[in-house]
């Protein structure tokens, strides 16, 4: 029997598992895997592996995930790369999708066959009242698509967001920041990621609908920024892993005014003055250089957060580093 992993941010996966049980009865070879606020991508990946190891058949796995491009999707997708001939991932998990998958497992033995089969029920399960709202929404979508298609005309990029995030493109970026800034392109600027074909492909597959994702080295981004003949009408969101790459880009001529600081992962030799930002001495020195270059700092994980005070954060980080010396 095809094993099913329900994967979500928070307890959503457990809730929909319980709802499916009420309608279809208790099911074997189904596991809910949840990403909790205190956990990171590696924790979640370990949970997925544990869940899969409990299945009778580990060759045929169907992932139903809550959000395309979020951490549950990204970690499932990372494992999927080694089993792409048999496994399948469907995002946008809802109850009609799950019920249809349960039924399909009784006669289908392929995860990919089931994935294809349940898409229609999943889409038909999304309805609205009054019905005329569905038509109105379709019109808006078409208008947006037309706006997005303005490519290849004279002009330079409009930079709608430049962000430092050690996780790069994940759920918070693919949903909240994308909706707030409305980019036509997301550009991951990193020498390391540009050389890593697996990470590069996973990031491209995490693209939100209607937005192109590119992965380029820092020097190539500098060249793109100086091109004023091909990117008119293009709204670019730049994602950096660290402040050092931002400084290289700015010194090379990428015209940034503000850098959003979302997360910087902790590692050996770094101090962590708050829950999401960790610094070593090079990071602090780099942020000071960015400030001297005239950049403003916007410290927020998501648009709805209140802005943090970067000067106070850097001061606290420097004090903690000094204690370690």
């Amino acid at each position: 029997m095809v094993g099913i992993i329900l994967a979500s941010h928070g307890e959503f996966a457990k809730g929909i598992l319980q709802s499916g049980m009420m309608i279809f009865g208790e099911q074997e070879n189904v596991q809910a895997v949840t990403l909790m606020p205190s956990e990171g991508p590696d924790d979640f990946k370990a949970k997925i592996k544990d869940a899969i190891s409990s299945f009778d058949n580990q060759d045929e796995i169907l992932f139903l995930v809550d959000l395309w491009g979020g951490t549950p999707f990204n970690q499932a997708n990372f494992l999927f790369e080694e089993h792409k001939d048999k496994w399948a991932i469907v995002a946008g998990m809802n109850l009609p999708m799950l019920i249809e998958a349960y039924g399909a497992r009784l006669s289908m033995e392929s995860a990919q066959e089931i994935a294809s089969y349940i898409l229609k029920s999943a889409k038909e399960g999304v309805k609205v009242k009054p019905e005329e709202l569905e038509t109105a929404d379709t019109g808006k979508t078409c208008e947006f698509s037309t706006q997005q298609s303005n490519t290849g005309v004279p002009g330079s990029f409009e930079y709608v967001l430049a962000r430092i995030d050690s996780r790069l493109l994940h759920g918070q970026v693919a949903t909240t920041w994308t909706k707030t800034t409305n980019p036509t392109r997301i550009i991951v600027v990193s020498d390391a990621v540009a050389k890593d074909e697996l990470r590069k492909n996973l990031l491209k597959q995490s693209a939100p609908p209607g937005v192109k994702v590119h992965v380029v080295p820092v020097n190539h981004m500098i060249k793109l920024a100086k091109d004023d003949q091909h990117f008119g009408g293009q709204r670019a969101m730049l994602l950096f892993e660290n402040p050092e790459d931002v400084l290289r880009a700015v010194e090379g001529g990428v015209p940034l005014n503000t850098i959003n600081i979302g997360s910087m992962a902790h590692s050996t030799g770094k101090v962590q003055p708050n829950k999401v930002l960790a610094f070593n001495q090079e990071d602090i020195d780099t942020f000071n250089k960015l400030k001297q270059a005239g950049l403003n700092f916007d410290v927020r994980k998501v648009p709805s957060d209140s802005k943090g005070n970067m000067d106070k954060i850097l001061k606290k980080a420097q004090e903690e580093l000094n204690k370690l010396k």
Side-chain angles (χ1 to χ4, degrees):
M1 177 178 283
V2 173
I4 299 178
I5 298 288
L6 310 178
S8 72
H9 296 80
E11 302 282 0
F12 174 50
K14 290 183 178 179
I16 202 169
L17 175 63
Q18 183 182 48
S19 298
M21 189 184 305
M22 293 175 63
I23 296 171
F24 210 88
E26 191 167 351
Q27 296 289 305
E28 296 180 349
N29 296 304
V30 180
Q31 292 280 354
V33 184
T34 59
L35 175 67
M36 304 311 292
S38 61
E39 296 174 331
D42 290 338
D43 301 312
F44 189 77
K45 188 193 302 180
K47 283 185 174 182
I48 295 178
K49 289 181 177 179
D50 288 342
I52 292 173
S53 67
S54 71
F55 291 162
D56 298 334
N57 177 10
Q58 298 173 22
D59 292 329
E60 295 287 348
I61 305 295
L62 173 63
F63 293 91
L64 305 183
V65 304
D66 57 353
L67 183 68
W68 185 278
T71 296
F73 169 85
N74 290 339
Q75 296 309 308
N77 195 29
F78 185 87
L79 297 175
F80 165 82
E81 285 297 311
E82 296 182 359
H83 304 272
K84 60 175 62 177
D85 56 329
K86 289 190 175 182
W87 290 9
I89 305 174
V90 181
M93 175 170 57
N94 60 21
L95 192 54
M97 175 194 298
L98 179 60
I99 298 304
E100 201 69 25
Y102 284 165
R105 286 201 307 172
L106 301 176
S107 59
M108 299 179 185
E109 298 181 354
S110 163
Q112 295 187 357
E113 185 181 8
I114 294 174
S116 177
Y117 178 76
I118 66 177
L119 288 178
K120 182 178 180 182
S121 296
K123 293 174 181 177
E124 290 178 346
V126 180
K127 298 183 181 295
V128 64
K129 273 190 171 293
E131 289 81 357
E132 55 266 24
L133 292 178
E134 187 171 351
T135 303
D137 183 68
T138 301
K140 290 179 181 179
T141 301
C142 293
E143 181 182 350
F144 177 73
S145 298
T146 301
Q147 179 183 351
Q148 297 282 69
S149 65
N150 181 23
T151 61
V153 299
S156 303
F157 283 121
E158 175 186 356
Y159 298 97
V160 297
L161 181 72
R163 176 179 172 92
I164 296 172
D165 191 327
S166 55
R167 292 192 290 163
L168 295 172
L169 180 54
H170 55 92
Q172 292 172 345
V173 176
T175 55
T176 56
W177 282 108
T178 299
K179 290 181 179 178
T180 302
T181 60
N182 189 21
T184 57
R185 297 174 187 248
I186 295 175
I187 306 176
V188 174
V189 186
S190 168
D191 292 353
V193 180
K195 296 176 183 177
D196 189 330
E197 288 300 321
L198 177 58
R199 287 187 71 189
K200 189 177 359 179
N201 290 334
L202 289 173
L203 285 167
K204 289 181 178 180
Q205 292 171 25
S206 302
V211 182
K212 293 182 179 180
V213 172
H214 309 271
V215 181
V216 301
V218 176
N219 285 341
H220 189 63
M221 185 64 236
I222 293 170
K223 292 180 182 178
L224 293 176
K226 295 176 180 178
D227 186 336
D228 60 0
Q229 295 300 313
H230 300 96
F231 301 116
Q234 291 298 295
R235 298 167 56 84
M237 174 190 293
L238 306 188
L239 300 179
F240 298 87
E241 285 188 291
N242 54 66
E244 290 74 32
D245 284 348
V246 177
L247 181 61
R248 285 178 57 201
V250 170
E251 289 180 339
V254 180
L256 302 179
N257 297 315
T258 300
I259 185 73
N260 168 244
I261 305 158
S263 74
M264 292 174 59
H266 186 271
S267 61
T268 303
K270 290 195 173 189
V271 297
Q272 194 163 354
N274 66 17
K275 293 181 179 180
V276 296
L277 300 179
F279 304 83
N280 57 24
Q281 190 61 56
E282 183 182 9
D283 295 329
I284 294 175
D285 294 342
T286 301
F287 276 114
N288 287 329
K289 290 178 182 178
L290 288 170
K291 183 177 180 180
Q292 292 171 5
L295 263 74
N296 299 308
F297 300 135
D298 174 15
V299 187
R300 287 184 294 171
K301 288 177 62 178
V302 294
S304 59
D305 286 347
S306 57
K307 295 183 179 181
N309 187 315
M310 193 59 176
D311 288 337
K312 290 183 178 180
I313 293 172
L314 290 174
K315 181 179 179 182
K316 184 177 180 181
Q318 186 66 70
E319 290 172 350
E320 293 182 13
L321 280 172
N322 290 340
K323 291 178 183 178
L324 297 177
K325 295 178 180 178

